[in-house]
Amino acid sequence: MNADEDVENVMWQGRFITAKTRGKWEYVSRARGIKAGVILAVEDDHVLLVEQYRVPLGANCIELPAGLIGDHEEGEDTLTSAARELEEETGYRADRLEIVGEFFSSPGMVSESFSLVRAHGLTKISEGGGVDGENIIVHRVALPDLPRFVQSKRDEGCVVDVKLLMLPGMLF
């Protein structure tokens, strides 16, 4: 790597993302040190999924519950954020949360990482649906029905987040 390729240049920065270059590479990162948390909530042979409209895709997307860490409160703890997001999006509270690890979803284009958090001991406390007009639809899907569920959502015009591939029965 030569000296020019080692210099990171900020081309544009918004409230949540920053467009950067480094040598010939163009990529995007989260602004202000914001990170993401993704919640894997599987219990009683069912998984909690959410469906929400994603502007960059122009379609509803089937996903694991997730949210930004530190977007509202600087220095927010990953597990605190994951607990809040799980409740807001799905209406479920977890007795225990554990960080599985840090992962990168599209490392050729985005420097963002996410912490995968496993939720244990789920209790339904509300209908969920998100906040501030998120209009999230909650799906509690039996693992054996997952491929059929995903195909039916695709037939409706939904897109599918790649992170669902980690679920049993989803390798297709």
Side-chain angles (χ1 to χ4, degrees):
M1 184 179 278
N2 67 42
D4 289 339
E5 292 175 331
D6 194 34
V7 176
E8 182 177 79
N9 296 297
V10 173
M11 306 308 290
W12 177 85
Q13 183 166 338
R15 184 171 171 217
F16 295 105
I17 61 170
T18 304
K20 299 178 178 182
T21 62
R22 184 183 303 255
K24 66 177 183 170
W25 288 96
E26 297 175 346
Y27 59 98
V28 178
S29 68
R30 287 283 179 194
R32 301 179 288 123
I34 295 170
K35 294 189 176 259
V38 176
I39 302 112
L40 179 59
V42 177
E43 194 165 71
D44 297 329
D45 209 29
H46 286 76
V47 62
L48 294 180
L49 300 176
V50 295
E51 176 181 341
Q52 60 183 315
Y53 184 78
R54 292 299 192 180
V55 171
L57 305 174
N60 277 11
C61 188
I62 303 299
E63 314 170 358
L64 294 170
L68 297 177
I69 302 166
D71 60 333
H72 295 293
E73 185 178 321
E74 192 173 323
E76 183 178 32
D77 173 79
T78 299
L79 295 178
T80 301
S81 174
R84 176 180 44 78
E85 291 290 346
L86 181 66
E87 288 185 29
E88 288 174 1
E89 291 193 2
T90 69
Y92 283 81
R93 181 173 290 154
D95 290 339
R96 183 171 63 88
L97 295 166
E98 66 175 316
I99 297 174
V100 175
E102 183 178 21
F103 299 87
F104 296 83
S105 58
S106 187
M109 187 179 86
V110 179
S111 66
E112 177 189 44
S113 67
F114 65 89
S115 293
L116 181 63
V117 176
R118 176 68 197 255
H120 301 274
L122 301 175
T123 302
K124 186 170 180 162
I125 60 167
S126 74
E127 294 304 310
V131 296
D132 299 330
E134 287 180 312
N135 298 318
I136 294 172
I137 301 166
V138 181
H139 299 283
R140 184 175 182 269
V141 182
L143 291 174
D145 297 337
L146 204 47
R148 190 171 33 254
F149 171 80
V150 169
Q151 187 57 54
S152 73
K153 294 313 263 178
R154 279 192 166 131
D155 292 345
E156 292 175 15
C158 290
V159 297
V160 180
D161 188 313
V162 68
K163 291 180 279 304
L164 266 61
L165 286 174
M166 78 173 99
L167 296 170
M170 286 305 298
L171 297 175
F172 42 139

